[in-house]
Amino acid sequence: MTQDLYAVMGNPISHSKSPLIHNLFAQQTGESLEYTAIQCPMDDFPGTVRTFFERGGKGLNVTVPFKQTAYELVDRMTPGAEAAGAVNTLFQDADGQLCGENTDGLGLVQDLTVNQGLDLSGKRILVLGAGGAVRGVLRPLLGQKPAEIVIANRTVEKAEALASLFSNDIPVRGCGFADVTEPFDLTINGTSASLQGDLPPLDAGIIAAHTVSYDMMYGPDLTPFNRWAREHGAQRVIDGLGMLVEQAAEAFACWRGVRPETAPVMAQLRDRVG
Ligand code: ATR
């Protein structure tokens, strides 16, 4: 019997942990599928997606730098993908229409609320960064009914534009790093500064003894942001490995109708990451 075929597409792609995660999910749930990584040419994401589905592929994950292109390509999408302005999960419906979902924000919220046991309702949340990664998580965060979300970014106009897009009955405010000096309940680093081993210029006043610090990045060592937060007395520091596994579980559930258990997969990944 041929197995259902899934893949992650990106460029570059060799570093992706998605094949490992999804193959562990398949083993655990007994689902018969194969999941591979496809390096997509920079100039032909639409053609590569089309060929994949024409050859019988069942579903795709999309990663850097194609999430916005995927958003533009789909025939229809979920409200979550619409709000995120990006798509990380593709599949076809019964009529062959290309459908898009975004599971990144769902993965973050699942990690925060279920794995980490945090109640975000009524909390003050600071989000650092105003790029695609941050836009992708704002709607699910707002769904947890925090008291407010402040978006601080190096380029202030981008934070303000994002804030005005999402501000509704829950206030969302955009500003620069220097404008935030008071403590928050939860700080989330969604900048790509860690990739360069960099730290946004932050005032230590944002961290208090009750502050939980979350970095969407992960690695064998503390990220620069979480190291800084710990040095300034944060109650807990959490990296983005849980978000990675949870967004994958959401995609798996979207395709297969079965949500795998994430804890054992996270433990296996943690062993490998360090
Ligand atoms: P992603 O999809 O990862 O969000 P992006 O859309 O390019 O990538 O956004 C990167 C984010 O990280 C932006 O908020 C960027 O700030 P600017 O909007 O001012 O460019 C932020 N960023 C990148 N490098 C940074 C650094 N060294 N210090 C602070 N912020 C940084």
Side-chain angles (χ1 to χ4, degrees):
M1 200 182 79
T2 55
Q3 290 182 312
D4 287 346
L5 185 61
Y6 295 84
V8 57
M9 275 188 194
N11 189 332
I13 201 62
S14 57
H15 65 285
S16 174
K17 303 249 181 312
S18 291
L20 171 64
I21 295 171
H22 281 278
N23 287 309
L24 288 171
F25 286 165
Q27 258 174 38
Q28 180 207 111
T29 57
E31 293 286 305
S32 174
L33 62 87
E34 187 190 342
Y35 187 112
T36 61
I38 298 175
Q39 166 114 356
C40 180
M42 290 303 282
D43 59 356
D44 196 20
F45 178 75
T48 314
V49 170
R50 204 176 325 111
T51 305
F52 176 82
F53 283 107
E54 277 169 6
R55 291 185 180 162
K58 298 288 181 201
L60 284 172
N61 281 135
V62 181
T63 188
V64 179
F66 299 119
K67 291 185 193 183
Q68 274 88 9
T69 321
Y71 170 85
E72 283 153 25
L73 189 67
V74 294
D75 300 310
R76 61 185 183 85
M77 67 181 92
T78 61
E82 179 82 63
V87 158
N88 79 335
T89 303
L90 291 170
F91 55 96
Q92 284 184 316
D93 66 12
D95 302 324
Q97 299 261 89
L98 187 64
C99 307
E101 167 65 295
N102 191 314
T103 64
D104 288 330
L106 301 171
L108 171 67
V109 166
Q110 182 81 9
D111 192 34
L112 286 168
T113 59
V114 178
N115 301 339
Q116 309 297 336
L118 298 173
D119 178 2
L120 303 183
S121 72
K123 297 292 175 7
R124 299 183 58 247
I125 302 178
L126 173 64
V127 181
L128 304 170
V134 166
R135 181 168 173 179
V137 302
L138 287 172
R139 184 177 191 264
L141 280 177
L142 286 165
Q144 297 300 303
K145 306 274 179 249
E148 69 164 333
I149 296 182
V150 176
I151 304 170
N153 193 44
R154 181 173 61 183
T155 311
V156 179
E157 303 77 54
K158 280 170 70 180
E160 288 173 344
L162 209 50
S164 66
L165 206 58
F166 283 88
S167 197
N168 205 316
D169 47 333
I170 298 170
V172 182
R173 181 165 62 87
C175 61
F177 295 129
D179 300 316
V180 278
T181 54
E182 75 281 24
F184 285 82
D185 300 305
L186 171 66
T187 59
I188 301 174
N189 182 26
T191 71
S192 50
S194 304
L195 288 178
Q196 306 127 45
D198 224 356
L199 183 69
L202 298 164
D203 188 293
I206 64 172
I207 306 289
H210 68 279
T211 305
V212 174
S213 170
Y214 195 101
D215 198 330
M216 291 196 208
M217 300 281 165
Y218 64 88
D221 305 313
L222 275 184
T223 65
F225 176 70
N226 276 346
R227 190 176 316 118
W228 177 87
R230 177 173 281 174
E231 278 166 13
H232 289 89
Q235 183 208 91
R236 276 163 79 186
V237 299
I238 306 162
D239 75 9
L241 190 75
M243 176 179 174
L244 173 77
V245 176
E246 293 296 346
Q247 65 75 29
E250 292 289 336
F252 193 94
C254 166
W255 294 323
R256 308 297 296 188
V258 186
R259 200 178 196 284
E261 282 198 35
T262 49
V265 174
M266 253 175 255
Q268 289 188 57
L269 249 79
R270 188 64 76 191
D271 283 349
R272 293 183 193 222
V273 171

